[in-house]
Amino acid sequence: MATTPATTAAKSDTPPPRSILRDTAFLRLWAGTTASGLATWALPFVLGLAVLHRDLGAAGLGLVLAARTAGFLAAVAVGGVLADRHSRRAVVLWSALAAATAAPLLAAGLGGSLALMTAAAALAGAGQGACRPAFQALTAETVDPERRQQANAAMTMAVRGSTLAGPALTALLAAFLDVRTLLLGIGLLWLVAALVPGKGAAIAADPDAAPDPTATPDPDAEPAPRAGFRAEFLEGIREARRHPWFLAGLAALVAVIALGYSATSVALPLISRDRYGTQWVLAAAMTAYTVGALAGALVIARWRPRSQGWAAFAGLAAYGVAPLSLMLPVHPLVVVAAYAVAGIGIELFNVPWFTATQREVAPDKLARVSSLDFLVSYGLAPVGLALIAPAIDAFGVTPVLGACAAACFLVPAAAALTPSARHFARTAPAPAPAKTD
């Protein structure tokens, strides 16, 4: 008598995705991005050492840093268009080489020509700004969709780690090297950023990503003539407007950066000095923020919440605990803990935000949309810093901190109500298939 064999669960022929840390192409990209992040962070710190050594005045430092910011803002939009128009790898190469060229010019002008230093700082900022959207788009070309969240988490961990260890390392090097040599070292970091990353490979689109309704390719059609720069930039804006979750996220970022982050940057040193009578609270809170961000990146590298967008906006809103803790006469450890929570939350937002942008935005417009992200976030931060101090003088520190904390809580909550914000996608992801016996 024949018997029916017991059914067994079907085995998937697809191997599990390889760890991102074993991918040579990604590791090269990671090394280049990390080098650019270290160079970006190190420049204002090294220029601050120049002020201590009396090679640069305080007013000169402000002018040089302002020129760097202006160069960044002017180039980030241009870099986004160029990275969508040409090879992303080429844009990274030439923009990083421009920033590397600025380092010896800064060293040459130190103590002699403030005009040369100002022009060099603008060039450094332009190189930094042009390569940022290109690096974002190159990540999408290098890493397959299943591993991009892990890749973005690894990127942000490198940035936060350098922020944590950088001051001690730079102070150690400053004991043996002069400021000019340190500036040349920044140029070497930019050379690493220019030369180490490899060329991105063509990665298949995410099957869950929403299709571009404007894309109607015709294989027999002649290639359309290239539009002008302004038209292509406006095309990037139109692409961003197709994603309501992206616009809502930008609004939430503006509220947190221009109000929350700016308020805490101005108020924390004052409260550390006046309320607690020590600079220890300032140093401990900033360190806790970075450590919290590292922890948040570790968590989000593996955590896949079902409602990704809502979880990300909740993380962004968590920054509100930082200004809230500064309002109240609490123990200093409460302030330190609040900054750690804020750091965790900011990466619970950042990593899914970058990953969703790489997934949802049309690949040929990704760099332009990323440039809008950087342009809005970085562009409005100086405005917030400029307005917070006068507001504190006019209304007092507690009302200003209260208003900023409320904005940090309420604006991300309102953004989470936007259609498509729940999943950071125009369409909800398909449910996982049910298991069968």
Side-chain angles (χ1 to χ4, degrees), residues 326-432:
L326 298 178
M327 291 175 55
L328 308 172
V330 296
H331 192 278
L333 289 179
V334 176
V335 176
V336 175
Y339 269 78
V341 171
I344 293 171
I346 206 71
E347 293 307 335
L348 294 183
F349 176 84
N350 279 341
V351 173
W353 170 259
F354 290 138
T355 305
T357 303
Q358 293 160 354
R359 181 188 68 238
E360 294 292 316
V361 171
D364 62 327
K365 302 177 183 68
L366 176 56
R368 278 169 283 178
V369 174
S370 295
S371 72
L372 288 174
D373 181 6
F374 295 124
L375 186 63
V376 172
S377 301
Y378 283 86
L380 293 178
V383 177
L385 287 170
L387 296 178
I388 288 297
I392 289 176
D393 290 338
F395 304 105
V397 65
T398 300
V400 171
L401 287 173
C404 292
C408 289
F409 291 132
L410 296 177
V411 177
L417 301 177
T418 302
S420 76
R422 178 174 181 176
H423 301 287
F424 275 172
R426 295 177 64 204
T427 58

Side-chain angles (χ1 to χ4, degrees), residues 6-419:
T7 58
T8 58
K11 293 183 178 180
S12 173
D13 294 330
T14 304
R18 185 175 57 168
S19 169
I20 198 68
L21 299 180
R22 297 175 61 188
D23 188 321
T24 302
F26 170 74
L27 290 177
R28 292 178 63 181
L29 178 62
W30 177 88
T33 307
T34 301
S36 72
L38 278 170
T40 298
W41 170 88
L43 182 58
F45 191 90
V46 172
L47 291 176
L49 292 177
V51 174
L52 294 178
H53 295 168
R54 301 186 185 280
D55 293 321
L56 183 66
L61 174 63
L63 180 62
V64 170
L65 292 180
R68 186 180 77 146
T69 301
F72 176 92
L73 295 176
V76 69
V78 176
V81 173
L82 292 178
D84 281 340
R85 178 180 287 189
H86 305 291
S87 162
R88 277 88 184 253
R89 179 65 188 89
V91 173
V92 167
L93 172 66
W94 291 108
S95 58
L97 286 177
T101 303
L105 295 177
L106 283 165
L110 186 66
S113 174
L114 182 59
L116 177 58
M117 291 193 70
T118 302
L123 179 62
Q128 175 195 349
C131 76
R132 289 299 294 272
F135 267 128
Q136 283 292 318
L138 197 57
T139 301
E141 290 185 2
T142 303
V143 182
D144 53 87
E146 291 78 11
R147 298 185 297 167
R148 283 179 192 159
Q149 185 155 319
Q150 187 182 13
N152 288 318
M155 294 285 195
T156 196
M157 286 174 64
V159 173
R160 300 299 183 181
S162 63
T163 303
L164 187 62
L169 178 60
T170 306
L172 178 63
L173 291 174
F176 303 98
L177 304 173
D178 60 20
V179 174
R180 285 183 174 83
T181 305
L182 292 174
L183 287 171
L184 294 177
I186 292 174
L188 291 177
L189 287 172
W190 277 114
L191 282 178
V192 171
L195 301 176
V196 169
K199 184 178 180 181
I203 300 296
D206 189 335
D208 292 332
D212 182 358
T214 65
T216 55
D218 182 357
D220 298 326
E222 292 291 331
R226 175 68 70 179
F229 173 86
R230 179 176 178 274
E232 291 203 351
F233 182 73
L234 292 176
E235 190 178 51
I237 295 177
R238 286 193 293 272
E239 171 65 19
R241 292 175 60 186
R242 288 183 51 236
H243 306 278
W245 62 267
F246 183 83
L247 299 181
L250 276 186
L253 276 172
V254 168
V256 171
I257 293 175
L259 296 177
Y261 186 80
S262 297
T264 54
S265 297
V266 173
L268 179 60
L270 299 176
I271 291 173
S272 180
R273 180 196 65 193
D274 298 339
R275 180 187 298 168
Y276 300 108
T278 176
Q279 297 302 309
W280 173 86
V281 178
L282 170 62
M286 297 309 298
T287 302
Y289 178 80
T290 303
V291 172
L294 279 169
L298 280 172
V299 170
I300 202 61
R302 294 188 175 276
W303 183 39
R304 300 294 187 274
R306 180 170 297 179
S307 299
Q308 184 183 67
W310 284 358
F313 279 124
L316 185 62
Y319 193 90
V321 301
L324 187 64
S325 71
L326 298 178
M327 291 175 55
L328 308 172
V330 296
H331 192 278
L333 289 179
V334 176
V335 176
V336 175
Y339 269 78
V341 171
I344 293 171
I346 206 71
E347 293 307 335
L348 294 183
F349 176 84
N350 279 341
V351 173
W353 170 259
F354 290 138
T355 305
T357 303
Q358 293 160 354
R359 181 188 68 238
E360 294 292 316
V361 171
D364 62 327
K365 302 177 183 68
L366 176 56
R368 278 169 283 178
V369 174
S370 295
S371 72
L372 288 174
D373 181 6
F374 295 124
L375 186 63
V376 172
S377 301
Y378 283 86
L380 293 178
V383 177
L385 287 170
L387 296 178
I388 288 297
I392 289 176
D393 290 338
F395 304 105
V397 65
T398 300
V400 171
L401 287 173
C404 292
C408 289
F409 291 132
L410 296 177
V411 177
L417 301 177
T418 302

